[in-house]
Each structure stands twice: as C-alpha cells, then as structure tokens.
Amino acid sequence: MQEMAALTRIGLAGLAVMGQNLALNIAEKGFPISVYNRTTSKVDETVERARVEGNLPLYGFHDPASFIQSIQKPRVVIMLVKAGAPVDQTIQTLSAHMEKGDCIIDGGNEWYENTERREKAMNELGLLYLGMGVSGGEEGARNGPSLMPGGSYEAYQRIEDILLKVAAQVPDSGPCVTYIGTGGSGNFVKMVHNGIEYGDMQLIAEAYDVLRSVGKLSNEELHAVFSDWNKGELLSFLIEITADIFTIKDDKGEGYLVDKVLDKTGMKGTGKWTVQQAAELSVAAPTIEASLDSRFLSGLKDERVEASKVFGPGILSGGPEVDKAQLIDDVRQALYASKICSYAQGMNILKAKSTEKGWGLNLGELARIWKGGCIIRAIFLDRIKQAYDRNANLANLLVDPEFAKEILDRQAAWRRVVSLAINYGVSTPGMSASLAYFDSYRRDRLPANLVQAQRDYFGAHTYERTDMGGAFHTEWFKIAQKSKI
C-alpha cells in the first residue's frame, strides 16, 4: 500500500463505481481519504485511478483494522454498499475497530426505518450515524452530486466542510447539500426524489410516444425537438439526455440504438417504496403511481406481444389529421403541466411524512439542493423554491399563484394531447393521471358523496352532511324496500 505522511481526514468503504467516484471526488477536493473494500482488487483499482487522475491523496487498505486506524480521530467513515443485509455486515466489520465518538455514514438507497434502527444501535455503542441520500449517478458522484444527509446533527457538523466542497455547486444558490433532519429523513427525501424521477421519466416517455406514434416524428426530428425544449422551461438533465439518446446509432447493426432497446424497464425499489408511503400517509400520488404501474406493464413483454395479436395494432388508424408543429407545442405544454402535478405529489408526501415524524423538512431548501448534481436537476426547481419562499405552508404547489397561472395557460393543450392520445390508442397514463389529479383537486364538489352513501348503505359507516354538523346514518335498505312495495 502507499506510504502515508499522516492520518487521513475520512474513510470510505465499498468501492463499486459510485464508491470509487465519490472517494476520488473527496480526494480531488483536497481531503486525504482512506478506502477499503472486501474484494481487495477494487481497492487496488481505486488507488490506480487516483494516481492516473492526478496523484490524488487516496490511500488503499486490504483489511478493516488498518483501514480504520489510518483515519484521524474522531473518525468518519462513509459506506457505499448495497442496501439491506450488506449494510449491517459492513457496520459490524467496521464498528469492531471503531471507538466512542466515531461516525458511520450510509450513502446508499436505504429504507429509512433501517437507518433509524441502525442509528439507535450505534448510539448504544457510542457511535454517531447518518443516512445520506446521494443522487447524480456515477457522473455526479465523481464531479458533484446532490447530497441529502439525515440523522445525527453532530455527525453532520463533523463532515459539513467536506460535503460543501464535494457536492454539486450551482451559481447563485450554492452547494447542493443541506442538513435534512433527524432520523431517517435523508434516506426518505432521497426515496421521494427517486419517486419524482420515476414520474419525470414516464412523462418524457409518453411525450416521445405521442410525437413518434401520432406525429410520426423521426429520431432526427425528436432530437431537434428535445434539444429545443432543453433551452426553455423544460431545461433539465433528463430532457438533455433524452435528446442525446436520439442521436446514438446502433453499433451492432443498422439504424438508431433507441429502436433496438427492449421495451422493458427495470427498477430497484425506491419508486415502489414511494408509492407505498403515499398510500400509508393517505396522500394522492397518481402520477408517480402511474409511472410504477407502467414499469410493471412493461415487464409483461411476452403477454403484450400475444395481446397485440388478439386486439390488433397498438396504434389506431383513422384518428384526426395532425398538424406536426401544433402537436409538438401542445406536447411540450402537456409535459410541463403534468410535471408540476408530479412534483406537487412528491412534495405532499414529504410534507405529510415530515409532519408525522416531526422532521421539520424545508421543502424550498430541498428544491434548492436538487438544482444541481442529481438526476431530476432542472431549471423548474427554481420555480418550486420560489413558491415555498413565498409561502412555506403552501397547501399544494398547484395553488401557488405562478404555477396556477402556468397550468391554466397550458390546460387546453394538455387536454388536446390526452384526448388525441386516447383517440389514437396511445396510452399516456402519467399525463392522464396528472390531468385527473388537477381536475379532482380544482373541483369544490366530487362524486364522493355517492361513495359515502354506498358505504353507509351496506356498512352503516355514517356520513356527514353539507347543511348541518354531526354524523348521520340512514336505513337506506329499509326505505328503499318500502318504496318498492
């Protein structure tokens, strides 16, 4: 191993690509770092990368004892290992060599309650613990991610100077990191970030589908459209990479690579957790739910191929003639309006959970730290931050005066796109769910009165009235029977 002049400032265990890149980022910002991995070849690989990428102050260790002993006290160690049991095993391995006052930070996509359980267990050993969401993928980890640390504030203070330099830096709004709150709040916020990401990706895929299937746009035209969109209100990482994808030719055959990619989407679980939490908290999140359902349906590739033989072509012919320029502009507006709904749902989940757990989440500050480094980074987040700056207790993003005006200005185009897609047999579950969410939220009276009457009829669940206070029950069955006689 390399010669060390002195003890390092911090340690990192778990050297898959994210771990390697974050370690190199920390070293590059001038903080000497020790690294360890159970498979020692990864340690050597990281040390070599540090040499090649600028003789960075990174030191590798093949065993946990010498790794921990190489770090200055009180020690801080970041773990980047697979969520679940591997985290518990790594904690066990590392904590055996640690002392009271040392700190462990889990940088993985962990279920927030696991983080709370571990923080409690570490406290009993006299160790500090943080669960830190890290967003930005491999590129972000190396050059500046968005960081969401939650748990012990004392632990955060120990590492704040490092995180402020390592995080993505956004002009006029600063480093993309903030102390999120106590307990598992950092992991929870990262989970909802991923749920919003699911919604964003689904809405973009639907925009692509409508433009391609109804508007008959070529990949070249799609590249031009998404590139143009990336210069305005939709400017974002996901729109930018979408534009790029349409330019990549297939290196194993003719045509474009995107057309050869199997239409079957994978997932790791954070989107599912977000939807489960929405249900637990009784928060409507139909756009995020639609994106998850779309991934489930995409997985039924063989069944869909058979169903297409039963029901005929997926795209219906005979729909109305389409003006391509008008369609492109309508889809842009529909995408933006739907996106507002998706983010509103994500923020509502965060607000409800913060109230339940007493985390005191600052939603405007979350929008700020998502402006750089992370997968959902977008100019649009500026608007969200401003909305919460105007009113920290905003009931829903939709009713912020600026967002309300933007939705009203776009609703005609939004309705045209959803109607057109329905007439052509092109499914737009995310856009449709967003529109239904908006239409339900803006109505002062919904048909829920009938559902509550049904519940009282068959289960004596009682109901409230619009014209007087109290709980009421009616013998609906008996009255109905009498009227039939």
Side-chain angles (χ1 to χ4, degrees):
M1 298 282 87
Q2 315 91 304
E3 285 302 310
M4 285 176 57
L7 296 176
T8 59
R9 173 66 203 280
I10 189 168
L12 189 143
L15 296 171
V17 181
M18 283 288 284
Q20 286 192 22
N21 283 0
L22 189 61
L24 290 162
N25 180 353
I26 292 168
E28 193 170 63
K29 299 301 185 298
F31 300 101
I33 184 167
S34 302
V35 298
Y36 165 74
N37 195 77
R38 205 173 55 173
T39 308
T40 56
S41 60
K42 292 280 185 196
V43 175
D44 301 338
E45 193 182 300
T46 311
V47 167
E48 178 56 19
R49 279 189 64 191
R51 189 188 64 76
V52 170
E53 295 180 26
N55 285 322
L56 304 174
L58 181 146
Y59 305 91
F61 296 87
H62 284 180
D63 69 284
S66 55
F67 164 63
I68 295 295
Q69 283 153 20
S70 72
I71 305 161
Q72 71 179 42
K73 296 180 189 179
R75 303 179 184 95
V76 177
V77 178
I78 298 174
M79 295 180 295
L80 273 166
V81 296
K82 199 175 168 201
V87 175
D88 290 309
Q89 287 154 11
T90 306
I91 289 173
Q92 205 173 357
T93 302
L94 300 178
S95 63
H97 307 285
M98 297 176 88
E99 298 169 34
K100 280 189 177 176
D102 289 352
C103 169
I104 296 177
I105 298 169
D106 177 14
N109 275 336
E110 187 54 273
W111 174 239
Y112 83 99
E113 287 180 325
N114 285 344
T115 295
E116 296 189 338
R117 165 177 63 78
R118 289 173 188 137
E119 185 185 6
K120 205 172 160 202
M122 291 298 100
N123 275 345
E124 285 167 14
L125 297 174
L127 299 175
L128 303 178
Y129 196 80
L130 278 177
M132 180 169 72
V134 179
S135 179
E138 300 171 12
E139 182 69 20
R142 180 67 185 84
N143 298 310
S146 175
L147 299 169
M148 296 152 254
S152 159
Y153 185 62
E154 190 187 339
Y156 172 72
Q157 287 176 307
R158 296 256 184 94
I159 194 180
E160 184 178 37
D161 63 327
I162 297 179
L163 299 183
L164 289 172
K165 284 209 168 80
V166 164
Q169 309 291 317
V170 175
D172 306 325
S173 84
C176 293
V177 60
T178 192
Y179 174 69
I180 302 293
T182 56
S185 59
N187 292 119
F188 193 91
V189 166
K190 173 59 165 52
M191 176 196 80
V192 173
H193 161 288
N194 287 19
I196 293 169
E197 183 183 304
Y198 272 51
D200 251 355
M201 293 169 79
Q202 177 62 28
L203 293 170
I204 291 168
E206 291 173 19
Y208 155 67
D209 197 12
V210 171
L211 292 175
R212 182 191 56 160
S213 303
V214 180
K216 307 292 183 226
L217 271 71
S218 66
N219 286 320
E220 291 92 337
E221 289 173 307
L222 287 163
H223 166 70
V225 166
F226 278 86
S227 297
D228 183 54
W229 286 355
N230 200 44
K231 296 184 182 117
E233 63 193 12
L234 290 168
L235 169 63
S236 62
F237 174 71
L238 286 169
I239 294 287
E240 180 189 336
I241 68 168
T242 302
D244 288 347
I245 285 167
F246 294 125
T247 67
I248 308 296
K249 296 282 181 67
D250 183 10
D251 60 347
K252 295 179 175 61
E254 294 295 308
Y256 286 88
L257 183 54
V258 68
D259 299 321
K260 308 284 178 66
V261 175
L262 184 67
D263 53 322
K264 195 171 171 178
T265 310
M267 66 194 106
K268 293 248 181 95
T270 45
K272 189 188 290 187
W273 289 347
T274 304
V275 169
Q276 287 168 336
Q277 278 296 299
E280 289 282 334
L281 294 161
S282 302
V283 172
T287 314
I288 300 172
E289 285 158 19
S291 69
L292 187 66
D293 286 339
S294 295
R295 292 195 185 197
F296 296 153
L297 281 164
S298 79
L300 305 177
K301 175 67 175 176
D302 295 343
E303 286 184 45
R304 289 188 289 111
V305 169
E306 289 308 308
S308 71
K309 294 171 188 169
V310 176
F311 298 110
I315 310 304
L316 304 181
S317 53
E321 274 299 303
V322 171
D323 174 328
K324 207 182 261 194
Q326 175 76 56
L327 179 67
I328 291 167
D329 195 55
D330 279 357
V331 171
R332 174 185 59 77
Q333 294 185 64
L335 177 53
Y336 187 80
S338 300
K339 194 179 160 86
I340 295 172
C341 292
S342 185
Y343 279 73
Q345 292 158 31
M347 289 303 189
N348 285 351
I349 295 168
L350 290 170
K351 187 169 68 170
K353 194 68 177 181
S354 181
T355 301
E356 181 197 274
K357 301 286 285 185
W359 284 337
L361 295 181
N362 180 333
L363 301 183
E365 184 67 352
L366 298 184
R368 182 192 70 76
I369 68 167
W370 289 343
K371 278 169 58 180
C374 72
I375 304 302
I376 63 171
R377 61 184 181 265
I379 198 164
F380 172 78
L381 285 155
D382 259 340
R383 318 294 303 282
I384 295 179
K385 182 180 183 317
Q386 288 159 16
Y388 286 111
D389 286 348
R390 280 190 289 275
N391 179 4
N393 299 312
L394 195 60
N396 189 305
L397 267 183
L398 300 185
V399 294
D400 170 73
E402 287 203 14
F403 280 127
K405 182 179 185 306
E406 290 186 329
I407 282 195
L408 288 172
D409 289 348
R410 288 162 181 75
Q411 71 166 328
W414 194 7
R415 294 182 194 285
R416 280 195 297 271
V417 169
V418 170
S419 303
L420 187 70
I422 290 168
N423 286 331
Y424 272 86
V426 175
S427 58
T428 53
M431 287 187 184
S432 303
S434 297
L435 183 55
Y437 176 77
F438 168 66
D439 279 337
S440 294
Y441 191 69
R442 72 183 177 81
R443 289 185 67 195
D444 64 349
R445 186 165 172 86
L446 291 168
N449 54 315
L450 178 60
V451 176
Q452 195 58 24
Q454 291 169 334
R455 293 182 76 240
D456 190 52
Y457 188 122
F458 67 69
H461 291 292
T462 74
Y463 57 90
E464 294 173 274
R465 294 179 58 106
T466 58
D467 55 354
M468 61 184 81
F472 297 85
H473 169 59
T474 296
E475 296 287 352
W476 305 85
F477 178 72
K478 287 179 183 171
I479 297 168
Q481 286 304 105
K482 275 182 192 166
S483 68
K484 288 174 186 171
I485 294 166

